Amino acid sequence: RRDAAMLALACGVLAVASAYVGPVTRGRDASVSTGRSSVRMMPIGVPKVAYKIPGSNSAQWVDIYNRLYRERIIFLGQEVDDEIANQIIAVMLFMESEEAGRPIHLYVNSPGGSVIAGLAMCDTMGHISSEVATINVGMSASMASFILGAGERGKRLALPHSRVMIHQPMGGSQGQAEDIKMEAKQILKIKETLVTMYAQMTGQTRERIIKDLSRDNYMSAQQALEYGLIDKIVDLQPGR
């Protein structure tokens, strides 16, 4: 009885769905008929949107982030590591080759991560001719705050309730004493690089930067604006 009831319920749901979207084909890749063209149904739970390739008679479901790339929008929403850095660098280089000089928008909501990977992204942002506007939409912590501040001057934005956190680079090493000593020297060199670049992008003195990086330093959007990490706080729609 339970199996029969479940089958009846499934048939009812399918009937209702068919009434709204038309006949559904069998098989893994179901599609909805729309006259001359057909649109595949979005897989449940996958963030995809319909995108029609110019010259094509039908639309396909593509990853939401790949669709945003077509509008020159990049989203950094995870820990910064070599893999995501290489992907974002490749996308920026492709956008530059496709239409040099057209602005790129980089949305940031990341806990930070690898300093070397982050510096590679920042170097690429400065290398291409297209201006890269950065927008903080959540938390830009650690290396993510550095990427946020490395955006085009005047186009570093933040949403009103976003936050920023800066601190000095961290590292860990084990092994022979000489290896640990060399690792510590490298961390100190990286810190000097970050201090210099933070001072350039914020207008703060090196002494102030060194002091503020000594501990986890959290800032609201307004504090980040006053500090010089961003240039403007985005206004929300009236009544929201």
Side-chain angles (χ1 to χ4, degrees):
R1 291 182 180 180
R2 182 177 180 182
D3 293 340
M6 292 297 292
L7 179 61
L9 178 60
C11 292
V13 172
L14 182 59
V16 173
S18 298
Y20 281 97
V21 301
V24 179
T25 60
R26 292 182 179 181
R28 170 176 286 182
D29 296 327
S31 62
V32 179
S33 177
T34 57
R36 295 176 58 186
S37 62
S38 61
V39 180
R40 292 185 176 183
M41 296 181 64
M42 182 181 71
I44 297 175
V46 178
K48 294 188 176 183
V49 294
Y51 175 65
K52 187 175 181 180
I53 301 176
S56 176
N57 294 325
S58 61
Q60 296 180 342
W61 292 102
V62 298
D63 186 283
I64 181 64
Y65 300 111
N66 289 327
R67 179 64 183 91
L68 290 175
Y69 294 160
R70 301 301 304 174
E71 306 300 328
R72 300 178 75 84
I73 296 175
I74 304 174
F75 196 89
L76 173 60
Q78 65 182 71
E79 181 178 349
V80 179
D81 56 22
D82 290 337
E83 181 177 1
I84 189 64
N86 289 337
Q87 292 175 2
I88 291 179
I89 289 171
V91 171
M92 288 192 290
L93 293 176
F94 173 76
M95 291 178 177
E96 174 73 3
S97 65
E98 189 177 42
E99 193 170 353
R102 184 182 171 189
I104 298 172
H105 294 80
L106 174 61
Y107 287 78
V108 183
N109 183 18
S110 168
S114 170
V115 174
I116 301 302
L119 287 174
M121 290 178 55
C122 294
D123 287 345
T124 304
M125 291 164 61
H127 165 68
I128 61 178
S129 63
S130 300
E131 297 179 347
V132 180
T134 51
I135 305 96
N136 184 18
V137 295
M139 168 64 81
S140 291
S142 189
M143 198 58 201
S145 69
F146 189 88
I147 295 172
L148 174 67
E152 185 69 22
R153 301 300 181 271
K155 297 184 178 181
R156 302 173 301 176
L157 313 177
L159 296 184
H161 299 105
S162 62
R163 298 187 65 80
V164 173
M165 189 273 281
I166 61 175
H167 63 186
Q168 61 183 324
M170 297 181 294
S173 179
Q174 59 182 1
Q176 298 181 5
E178 194 64 27
D179 293 336
I180 297 175
K181 181 180 178 180
M182 293 299 297
E183 181 73 16
K185 287 182 178 180
Q186 290 301 314
I187 294 176
L188 291 176
K189 288 182 179 180
I190 291 174
K191 179 182 178 181
E192 285 297 310
T193 299
L194 295 180
V195 168
T196 300
M197 298 183 70
Y198 265 125
Q200 293 174 350
M201 67 178 61
T202 63
Q204 301 290 343
T205 64
R206 286 179 54 86
E207 293 72 18
R208 172 73 184 276
I209 296 295
I210 293 173
K211 178 182 177 182
D212 293 340
L213 291 181
S214 61
R215 294 289 184 271
D216 290 353
N217 194 341
Y218 289 88
M219 306 180 195
S220 65
Q222 182 61 39
Q223 290 171 327
L225 176 63
E226 297 171 356
Y227 197 81
L229 273 173
I230 63 172
D231 303 303
K232 182 181 178 181
I233 300 176
V234 180
D235 295 329
L236 298 179
Q237 295 294 329
R240 296 185 180 176

